[in-house]
Each structure stands twice: as C-alpha cells, then as structure tokens.
Amino acid sequence: YQTCCGVDVHKSFLVATIIKTTGGIEPSYQKRRFSTFNNSILEFKKWLLENECLYVCMESTGKYWITVFNILEPHMHVILTHPKYAKAIKGKKTDKRDAKWIANLFRFDIVKASFIPPADIRALRELSRYRLKLSYMRSAEKNRYQNRMTISRIRIDCVLTDPFGKTASSIMNYLLSDVPFDEKECAKLIHGGVKVSNEEIFDSIRGFEILSEQHFKMSHAKQHIELLSSYIDEIETELFRLSRPYDEVIKRISRIGGFTERSALFVISEIGADMSVFESDKHLCSWAGVCPGNCQSAGRRKHGKTTKGNKPLKTILTQCAKSARSVKGSYFSAQYQRIAARRGKNRATLAVAHSMLIAIYHMLRNNVPFRDLGSDYYDSFNRDRKIHGYLKRLKALGWEPDALPGSA
C-alpha cells in the first residue's frame, strides 16, 4: 500500500501511524494519539481523509475496536487482525512502536485479516450469541432448582423424563403452594401421556419436606427461569424478523438432517451467506475449529487437536451432529456409526460436524440444495475388497461357506 495506517487501540485512547511511500524505499511516518470518545474518533477519521489514507489496520483488542471500526468502515477499507499476527518484539514494546509495527506489516500486506461479516450479519450474531448466553443462564438456574428438589426429598426427576415438563411443573407448583398435600388432587395434575404409573410418581414425592429457605430459593429460581424463557422467546422473534432476507438460505440449510430453522439461523449469523470470504471449505472448517490442527516437527506429526476456533459455531454444529446421528438412512448417521466404532463417540460427533460445515459451504457457494448421500454410501466403493475382508473374518470365526444358518 502506498499510503496506509496502523492503529493500536486501547480503552481510553488509540495511537495511529500513517505511512506514506511517495518515492524510493524509505517511507515517511506521521504519528498521532486520539481519545476513544466519539468526537476524537471523528477527528481521527478526518485526519485520515486529509492524508488520503483509505487503508487502515488495527488490532482486535477486546471490544474497544468496534466503535472505531463502525465509524471508519463506511469511508475506508478497514482490516482487523488478531494480536498474535502483529506481535511486537519483547523489550521494544510501546504504544507508538506497536502502531508503527502494525503499519509496516500492513504496508507489505503480510498481516492476516480477521473475518468481519457485514453489518446485518453482525446484528444477527450479537442477538444469537446473547440468546446462547441466556440459555446457559437458564440451564444453570434449572440445575439449581433441581438441586433444591433433591435436598427437599422430591425425586420426580427419577421417574419423569423431563423434570420441567407439563406434569412435573404442575406437581411442583402444587407442592410449593400452601395447600396441604393430597394424592387425589395431585393425581388430577398428571398428564395422560405419562408412561409411569401414578403410584411411582407418588412414591417419589411421599415424605418430602420443603424448608423455608429451600421454598424461597425454589420460588425465585422458578420466576427467574420463566423470565429468561420469555427473554429468549423475544430474542428469537427479533432474530427471525432480522433474518428475513436470508429465509431461503435458512430453509435450505434446515433440510440437512439434524438441523432446524433455528440452528440454521445461528449458523448463518456466524459465517454469513457469502462464502467468497473463505478461501476454501478447509479454511472455513479451520476457522470454525472443527478440524484437526497441525503440530509437526522434524518430520513427525505430534498431535492433531482441534483449534479453539469459533466457539458458538462449534457448539451449534456439535449439537446438530448429535441430532443427525439418530436420523435413520442418512449419510451423517452412517458416518457417525462408522467412526464411533473405531475412534469413539466424541471424535465421531466432531467428524460429523466437520462434514456438515463442508456441505453448508458448498451449498452456499454454489447455490445448490442439500443432497444426502445415503447410509449405503460407504458400501458403494471397494465392494470386492470389503466382501473379501468380511469372508476372511467369518472364516476366522469358524464359519464355513456351506454352513449357512438354518441349513439342515
């Protein structure tokens, strides 16, 4: 770049260095320090435009870069980079030197840019991650509520599948009320679809004792769970409203086994709908953290642990992979069963998540629908070798070709 800028962003100020290469090899430097208040950032933008600097590179420091990025983005090309790619030399680190070092790296285009989706995708990402955090809080509150049930000698969770389902919730509301316990009244609260008998449910309740402090905690935990559930429902409504331009893409992804429209929306909020920003499907999977990492030295491969990647995306892909393993007749189910037998369930789940993300990449890049390969995909090649291997194994177990099962 003939003219570019490197920015070192902090909480209360930023340091910027503009590099100009007008003639020859030796460039000229201009350094300034600005506050991170809005007026100062606008002054920083004006200073860049006055110097005809339309290329800016900054470190991703916490959340402090977002304000600067949003103000500069409409007027110039802004690149965000991870601090590990622009790390200065130890012992020679100052704010001004950091800004100069970032500018020099950016000048020769040797700094790796982070993926920053468009503004509408960023809005979806903010809400989807907020919903994920609230769901974690709700799960934690449910665990606390269930612990209070155990302390109070209420073991409904041992006989009912969902301790927060319709029947369990009705019984707990009845037990927390001031009405004396009556089995006949409690029997009216049991839903007709419950598989266990009424006597088993009563056995899990008889002898319960809810102390005053446990009653207080359970009542407030229940209110908190209901409040969080209402917040989550409102966020999902807003998410689907904002995602209307991507309805077709979301429906296409939701046709993959294990996916729903909600999970497809969460995936789009993380990776966007434009796959041209990723070099290949391998690049996307590495960025998401669903493929093995590289650790090789002296010609020896040491370990291939998955990288940290994008945690929210990795979480939703793992959940979808666990759902896909129970879809009968699907390729992902066959892949899971095939790998789980040799490598274990966790590796098989991550391998399915990896394959799912590859499929999503090609669906979005080529604008094609999902086509399931089927559960017999692995049997469609190397058939002779597989048959020979199975026969060899059967003979080792003592089976003879003429000794067919059921033959006289």
Side-chain angles (χ1 to χ4, degrees):
Y1 297 100
Q2 291 284 338
T3 304
C4 62
C5 179
V7 186
D8 187 25
V9 186
H10 298 277
K11 180 178 181 179
S12 57
F13 67 91
L14 62 88
V15 180
T17 299
I18 293 179
I19 297 182
K20 287 187 176 182
T21 309
T22 54
I25 301 176
E26 192 65 28
S28 61
Y29 297 91
Q30 297 183 53
K31 300 178 184 179
R32 282 191 64 178
R33 172 171 167 161
F34 298 88
S35 169
T36 51
F37 295 155
N38 293 332
N39 291 336
S40 187
I41 297 177
L42 291 173
E43 184 184 349
F44 170 51
K45 182 192 73 174
K46 182 180 178 181
W47 179 62
L48 291 174
L49 295 175
E50 287 175 352
N51 287 275
E52 298 180 352
C53 180
L54 301 179
Y55 300 95
V56 180
C57 178
M58 67 176 73
E59 280 185 343
S60 56
T61 309
K63 298 290 184 181
Y64 306 136
W65 62 270
I66 297 177
T67 305
V68 182
F69 185 91
N70 289 339
I71 292 176
L72 299 182
E73 184 185 20
H75 306 280
M76 55 197 70
H77 180 61
V78 186
I79 285 179
L80 191 72
T81 185
H82 195 283
K84 67 181 180 182
Y85 298 125
K87 194 174 183 180
I89 301 172
K90 289 185 178 181
K92 296 183 178 181
K93 188 180 183 308
T94 63
D95 294 332
K96 290 184 178 180
R97 285 185 175 180
D98 283 348
K100 183 179 178 181
W101 178 251
I102 295 170
N104 278 318
L105 293 176
F106 185 48
R107 174 194 171 201
F108 294 106
D109 198 20
I110 56 176
V111 65
K112 190 173 182 180
S114 299
F115 168 57
I116 305 297
D120 56 343
I121 297 295
R122 294 204 299 268
L124 290 174
R125 177 186 284 188
E126 289 285 340
L127 287 177
S128 64
R129 290 185 178 182
Y130 182 44
R131 184 209 172 276
L132 184 63
K133 293 292 183 182
L134 291 183
S135 67
Y136 289 158
M137 293 172 62
R138 183 175 62 178
S139 298
E141 200 65 74
K142 285 184 176 181
N143 290 336
R144 295 188 193 98
Y145 188 85
Q146 206 164 342
N147 289 338
R148 304 284 77 76
M149 291 170 59
T150 303
I151 294 173
S152 302
R153 301 199 294 271
I154 302 172
R155 304 315 307 270
I156 298 178
D157 55 331
C158 295
V159 294
L160 295 177
T161 305
D162 184 6
F164 297 94
K166 186 175 181 179
T167 299
S169 298
S170 300
I171 292 175
M172 286 306 303
N173 291 337
Y174 177 68
L175 297 179
L176 289 173
S177 65
D178 297 331
V179 180
F181 179 72
D182 185 5
E183 290 187 0
K184 292 182 179 180
E185 293 295 326
C186 187
K188 297 178 182 178
L189 304 174
I190 300 175
H191 193 266
V194 175
K195 296 181 180 179
V196 296
S197 64
N198 292 2
E199 190 62 27
E200 289 182 84
I201 296 177
F202 294 150
D203 284 340
S204 66
I205 299 174
R206 291 189 182 108
F208 76 95
E209 182 184 9
I210 303 178
L211 301 176
S212 58
E213 64 273 13
Q214 303 301 334
H215 186 283
F216 180 83
K217 293 179 71 174
M218 291 173 74
S219 299
H220 283 74
K222 181 175 175 296
Q223 294 176 12
H224 194 198
I225 291 171
E226 293 174 351
L227 182 64
L228 290 173
S229 298
S230 65
Y231 287 164
I232 290 173
D233 292 340
E234 292 175 4
I235 291 172
E236 287 183 357
T237 303
E238 181 66 12
L239 274 171
F240 280 106
R241 186 187 70 82
L242 294 175
S243 64
R244 284 173 186 168
Y246 303 97
D247 280 347
E248 183 182 350
V249 177
I250 291 171
K251 289 179 181 178
R252 198 186 310 161
I253 296 176
S254 64
R255 294 189 180 97
I256 301 175
F259 274 85
T260 61
E261 289 192 2
R262 182 191 301 168
S263 54
L265 170 59
F266 293 158
V267 171
I268 289 297
S269 68
E270 292 297 332
I271 65 175
D274 181 15
M275 293 296 102
S276 62
V277 296
F278 298 101
E279 297 174 5
S280 63
D281 53 357
K282 296 180 180 179
H283 184 205
L284 174 60
C285 293
S286 176
W287 175 81
V290 294
C291 67
N294 290 323
C295 185
Q296 185 177 353
S297 180
R300 294 180 58 189
R301 184 178 176 86
K302 295 183 178 180
H303 64 78
K305 294 181 180 179
T306 55
T307 55
K308 183 178 178 181
N310 185 316
K311 285 187 176 181
L313 177 59
K314 194 174 182 179
T315 299
I316 191 63
L317 287 173
T318 304
Q319 292 176 357
C320 293
K322 289 180 178 179
S323 299
R325 67 189 181 188
S326 59
V327 180
K328 296 182 179 179
S330 67
Y331 166 78
F332 294 129
S333 177
Q335 182 188 23
Y336 174 84
Q337 300 297 338
R338 179 171 175 265
I339 299 176
R342 299 180 290 108
R343 304 282 291 174
K345 295 181 179 179
N346 292 335
R347 285 190 174 92
T349 301
L350 198 61
V352 172
H354 183 197
S355 299
M356 283 180 163
L357 191 56
I358 292 175
I360 291 171
Y361 173 86
H362 290 287
M363 287 168 59
L364 297 181
R365 188 174 184 89
N366 301 324
N367 195 22
V368 295
F370 175 71
R371 182 176 63 86
D372 199 315
L373 297 176
S375 58
D376 58 346
Y377 172 76
Y378 291 108
D379 297 331
S380 61
F381 51 89
N382 297 329
R383 294 178 63 88
D384 294 338
R385 189 174 69 179
K386 290 177 182 177
I387 292 172
H388 177 73
Y390 292 145
L391 289 174
K392 185 178 180 181
R393 179 61 178 160
L394 287 171
K395 290 178 181 179
L397 293 173
W399 179 82
E400 295 295 334
D402 297 332
L404 294 175
S407 60

